[in-house]
Amino acid sequence: MEVSDSGVESADEIVLDFLDSMDRYLVLVDGLSSILRQGWFDLASARHSMSSSRMSSALFDLKIHNASTTLQLQQADPGKMSPHFDLCKWVSSENLDKSSEDKKFKKNELLQQEDSLQSHHQEPKDNISEGNGSVANDNNQAQKERLKSLSMFGALVAPKLWSSQLSFEKALETLVEIANTRASLLQAYDQAQQNMKKTD
Amino acid sequence: MLTQATEPLSTFFEYITYEHMIDNVVLIVTGTLHERDVQELLEKCHPLGMFDSIASLAVAQNMRELYRLVLVDTPLAPYFSECITTEAYLEDVYRFCQKLGGATSEIMSDILVFEADRRAANITINSIGTELTRDDRKKLYSNFGLLYLPYGHEELAVCEDIDQVRGAMEKYPAYQSIFSWLSYGETQLLDKAFYEEEVKRLCLAFEQQFHYGVFFAYMRLREQEIRNLMWISECVAQNQKSRVQDSVVFIF
């Protein structure tokens, strides 16, 4: 089989990309398993510390409220980039229409809310690039939103509950990274397959 | 036992149930705010804390109505100001036990003083990193305990991390042993240390005779057994059997 030097290098690069993606994918999956394990253990520790009456499924908030964290998908360009997932975490509920929290949503209103949410979700990502001052503001905002989500278990919660929350947050980030790595892995695999067909 | 008891033992038994009543009230009010079904919430309530009008808690729209419709006719009324406070309940129990005198007063004072101090430490630790101000934090502490006078509560109110809490409590010889084997920054073992200290004091209640403290100690030790079982179950369910010893407290 005769292959030009540039063709061999290109084939090698594609295979190396594939192997790198595979390695990254396996490391992330293993990491996810340990992060979730730690998160569940911290949750059990918090429940042990705070008592089961203060931490039970009966206290979950069933009121309709907007998601504080959303996932955006950027569709792949045909034949080029793989699809990309982005996580928008801890969007402030103060940015959204406060009066809507008191209404029962109809389906059309819910769809309109989703559109406005997407435009608001761009703001935190743009702010991060502006400088350290805005990063501190984002961190404070995220901390406030974290506190708000834990408030369903009371105003004063055990430190282990905070740790558990951070673990699950990290697990969510790892999941998105796994999805992106898997997309690039599949793309590298497709490219390797195509290259092999060309050289055959 | 409550129906068979005479005064003042019957009042003592009732005081034991008030803590569970407070927990049940908080559970139902919180669950109702979160739009949960009342029947589901009632099933989760502690049986010792049930009272006749407990289901009416779900009807109240605000704290004033809560008091007027339900709590005013319950034994929890004296503990209600802007909200129900367990600290008011603890102070009331403490005063009652002091009035009883004798071995009951001695045993129960020791247990309740430790409970008040432990609550102060937990409130401080749990409020680190929140928006609770120092003054608000101080208002949540009970008005008795080793830390109450002279400066314990003052020092706890300004703590910003767990090591400062440790520094404030280590000044009291009774609590030095708790922190002596803990590493800095550790919180989970602190819970276990507090539970172990509580169990030690509860077990001492059985060393003396003819006092009411044994009933209180029995209830609390039973609760610790339940906590142990729940912790072991969680560790088994999560396949973390090696971590069982992190929080199990041995009794006797």
Side-chain angles (χ1 to χ4, degrees):
Chain A
M1 179 175 64
E2 292 184 0
V3 182
S4 65
D5 287 347
S6 60
V8 170
E9 285 176 8
S10 174
D12 284 346
E13 278 172 13
I14 290 170
V15 170
L16 281 172
D17 277 345
F18 173 76
L19 291 174
D20 282 342
S21 297
M22 176 64 84
D23 180 62
R24 205 162 51 241
Y25 178 79
L26 291 172
V27 166
L28 284 172
V29 167
D30 188 53
L32 176 69
S33 172
S34 62
I35 290 168
L36 283 174
R37 195 174 157 85
Q38 186 60 40
W40 283 115
F41 189 77
D42 286 343
L43 192 65
S45 299
R47 194 159 184 241
H48 180 76
S49 175
M50 289 167 59
S51 90
S52 52
S53 65
R54 278 194 64 194
M55 267 195 69
S56 75
S57 55
L59 294 173
F60 290 166
D61 192 350
L62 292 186
K63 285 190 288 190
I64 295 174
H65 55 274
N66 297 301
S68 55
T69 298
T70 56
L71 186 66
Q72 283 183 317
L73 169 64
Q74 293 173 12
Q75 295 286 353
D77 294 331
K80 291 189 178 177
M81 290 175 57
S82 56
H84 189 75
F85 298 91
D86 286 314
L87 198 64
C88 298
K89 295 195 309 180
W90 300 121
V91 175
S92 168
S93 56
E94 292 172 359
N95 287 341
L96 306 171
D97 184 6
K98 284 183 186 177
S99 62
S100 66
E101 291 178 9
D102 297 326
K103 297 176 191 171
K104 287 191 177 179
F105 291 104
K106 294 179 183 177
K107 190 174 177 182
N108 292 334
E109 287 174 348
L110 270 172
L111 289 172
Q112 288 171 7
Q113 283 286 323
E114 283 175 6
D115 289 338
S116 64
L117 270 173
Q118 283 181 2
S119 61
H120 282 295
H121 290 166
Q122 293 298 327
E123 292 171 14
K125 288 179 66 177
D126 295 337
N127 284 338
I128 285 169
S129 62
E130 288 174 7
N132 289 336
S134 57
V135 169
N137 285 339
D138 288 336
N139 287 339
N140 286 341
Q141 187 57 45
Q143 190 65 6
K144 278 184 191 169
E145 292 297 319
R146 286 190 187 101
L147 189 64
K148 200 172 161 188
S149 68
L150 288 183
S151 62
M152 75 170 87
F153 299 118
L156 302 177
V157 297
K160 280 293 176 183
L161 196 58
W162 288 96
S163 307
S164 171
Q165 185 183 46
L166 289 173
S167 292
F168 289 127
E169 198 177 312
K170 193 154 189 273
L172 198 57
E173 290 168 10
T174 307
L175 274 169
V176 172
E177 216 175 317
I178 285 175
N180 287 330
T181 305
R182 185 181 164 90
S184 65
L185 177 69
L186 290 172
Q187 190 192 17
Y189 177 75
D190 287 339
Q191 283 179 346
Q193 288 278 72
Q194 283 169 10
N195 212 42
M196 277 175 63
K197 283 176 188 170
K198 279 182 196 170
T199 53
D200 281 344
Chain B
M1 282 172 67
L2 178 59
T3 52
Q4 298 289 329
T6 57
E7 287 290 344
L9 181 58
S10 55
T11 303
F12 187 85
F13 281 152
E14 282 169 2
Y15 269 111
I16 293 177
T17 65
Y18 293 169
E19 186 180 8
H20 299 294
M21 275 186 187
I22 292 173
D23 289 341
N24 287 350
V25 167
V26 171
L27 175 68
I28 291 187
V29 169
T30 308
T32 305
L33 283 172
H34 294 161
E35 296 186 2
R36 303 305 297 252
D37 180 48
V38 175
Q39 283 307 318
E40 186 189 356
L41 295 170
L42 287 173
E43 284 168 14
K44 298 272 185 183
C45 288
H46 196 288
L48 279 181
M50 298 299 281
F51 52 94
D52 292 336
S53 51
I54 192 169
S56 312
L57 289 168
V59 175
Q61 297 293 319
N62 52 52
M63 299 308 283
R64 187 187 292 270
E65 270 188 28
L66 186 73
Y67 179 79
R68 191 173 57 83
L69 290 177
V70 185
L71 297 179
V72 67
D73 294 325
T74 67
L76 303 182
Y79 312 136
F80 188 90
S81 54
E82 293 173 13
C83 57
I84 288 190
T85 57
T86 309
E87 284 64 38
Y89 158 74
L90 273 180
E91 286 164 22
D92 196 24
V93 178
Y94 184 73
R95 278 193 293 270
F96 174 74
C97 292
Q98 294 282 319
K99 277 187 207 165
L100 290 176
T104 301
S105 171
E106 183 188 335
I107 297 288
M108 287 303 297
S109 294
D110 187 47
I111 293 170
L112 292 172
V113 156
F114 175 74
E115 180 68 19
D117 291 339
R118 181 176 69 168
R119 286 187 63 85
N122 281 335
I123 285 167
T124 308
I125 291 168
N126 292 349
S127 61
I128 290 170
T130 66
E131 294 171 348
L132 195 70
T133 63
R134 290 174 183 179
D135 288 335
D136 287 339
R137 187 191 275 181
K138 221 171 139 193
K139 283 179 195 168
L140 295 176
Y141 300 150
S142 297
N143 292 329
F144 71 102
L146 282 182
L147 299 175
Y148 175 54
L149 290 172
Y151 303 116
H153 283 179
E154 303 282 343
E155 289 184 11
L156 275 184
V158 298
C159 288
E160 298 290 337
D161 58 52
I162 188 161
D163 292 328
Q164 289 180 13
V165 172
R166 183 192 182 123
M169 292 191 74
E170 272 183 330
K171 293 174 185 171
Y172 297 83
Y175 303 130
Q176 273 179 356
S177 60
I178 293 176
F179 291 95
S180 61
W181 56 277
L182 289 177
S183 57
Y184 282 88
E186 178 60 60
T187 55
Q188 180 175 4
L189 290 181
L190 180 63
D191 279 333
K192 183 180 176 182
F194 276 141
Y195 281 132
E196 282 179 345
E197 183 67 23
E198 183 191 15
V199 163
K200 204 175 5 173
R201 290 168 192 242
L202 291 169
C203 291
L204 285 176
F206 293 91
E207 300 287 326
Q208 290 198 39
Q209 299 173 1
F210 303 116
H211 65 91
Y212 296 160
V214 287
F215 299 107
F216 186 86
Y218 177 81
M219 295 296 301
R220 281 294 179 95
L221 289 172
R222 271 289 193 225
E223 286 169 12
Q224 182 61 49
E225 284 182 3
I226 293 170
R227 269 196 296 274
N228 284 347
L229 285 172
M230 286 188 64
W231 176 252
I232 292 168
S233 305
E234 284 279 2
C235 289
V236 169
Q238 294 187 27
N239 199 21
Q240 301 238 37
K241 292 178 191 171
S242 59
R243 304 294 295 268
V244 165
Q245 298 298 330
D246 286 5
S247 290
V248 160
V249 176
F250 294 98
I251 301 170
F252 289 114

